[in-house]
Amino acid sequence: MLEFVEKGCMTLLPHRLVVREMKNLRVSPPGITPQRERKPRLIVDCSFWQVNGETESPSPGDSTQFGKTLERLLCLTRHSNPRFGDVHTCKVDLKDGFCRVWLEDNGTPNLAVAFPACEGEEPMVAFPLVLPMGWEDSPPWFCAATETAA
């Protein structure tokens, strides 16, 4: 989590100040998902306070077109204009890709995460500034952003 704070993907605030200022704050617990041949991935349990269940977002749900990528690439290649030369494709593995899509400021308090503290340290709350892994709207927004870029 500290790595995300250092990258500017999360901001930390003292728990005592946050609780005093934000009466309806729901702080979700963090989690870790093991990854093969990579370091573990940080996730947020957005189901803990029913954040996922209460999310009402105009996310582009149809942007997650799993299983259609090859079909779309072949169609685009087939119908490309030869005047522009050969078609080149690129497959990029975006590590922590959700961290490339920023949230609106007013949405971050709903996605607060408990920041692990050691004994004797002041408890802190982390607020994601980018799409958090574990929020149900992160995949469609990420897919829409990458599709737009493509």
Side-chain angles (χ1 to χ4, degrees), residues 101-108 111 128-132 135 138 141:
V101 183
W102 294 92
L103 291 171
E104 288 186 16
D105 294 340
N106 62 356
T108 59
L111 300 168
L129 304 174
V130 296
L131 294 175
W135 180 44
S138 289
W141 282 116

Side-chain angles (χ1 to χ4, degrees), residues 120-140:
E121 290 183 343
E122 180 175 18
M124 304 288 277
V125 177
F127 292 92
L129 304 174
V130 296
L131 294 175
M133 180 68 72
W135 180 44
E136 72 176 0
D137 266 13
S138 289

Side-chain angles (χ1 to χ4, degrees), residues 9-31:
C9 298
M10 287 185 165
T11 190
L12 287 176
L13 294 173
H15 183 267
R16 63 181 161 74
L17 296 178
V18 171
V19 170
R20 184 173 59 213
E21 296 297 323
M22 302 173 151
K23 302 298 181 206
N24 296 322
L25 181 69
R26 296 177 286 184
V27 181
S28 297

Side-chain angles (χ1 to χ4, degrees), residues 3-106:
E3 190 177 311
F4 284 114
V5 173
E6 290 170 350
K7 289 179 180 179
C9 298
M10 287 185 165
T11 190
L12 287 176
L13 294 173
H15 183 267
R16 63 181 161 74
L17 296 178
V18 171
V19 170
R20 184 173 59 213
E21 296 297 323
M22 302 173 151
K23 302 298 181 206
N24 296 322
L25 181 69
R26 296 177 286 184
V27 181
S28 297
I32 298 292
T33 301
Q35 301 289 300
R36 190 179 70 197
E37 299 179 19
R38 294 183 184 182
K39 67 180 181 175
R41 181 181 308 254
L42 173 70
I43 60 170
V44 180
D45 184 1
C46 290
S47 65
F48 189 79
W49 290 105
Q50 286 77 41
V51 172
N52 277 338
E54 294 178 4
T55 296
E56 290 183 26
S57 172
S59 68
D62 58 346
S63 65
T64 50
Q65 303 169 14
F66 297 113
K68 300 288 186 182
T69 303
L70 180 59
E71 182 181 325
R72 286 185 293 144
L73 280 175
L74 291 174
C75 184
L76 287 170
T77 302
R78 167 66 181 92
H79 297 288
S80 65
N81 189 335
R83 179 175 69 167
F84 296 111
D86 294 338
V87 173
H88 299 274
T89 61
C90 177
K91 195 244 184 246
V92 178
D93 183 11
L94 289 178
K95 178 186 172 293
D96 300 325
F98 286 6
C99 292
R100 310 298 193 261
V101 183
W102 294 92
L103 291 171
E104 288 186 16
D105 294 340
N106 62 356

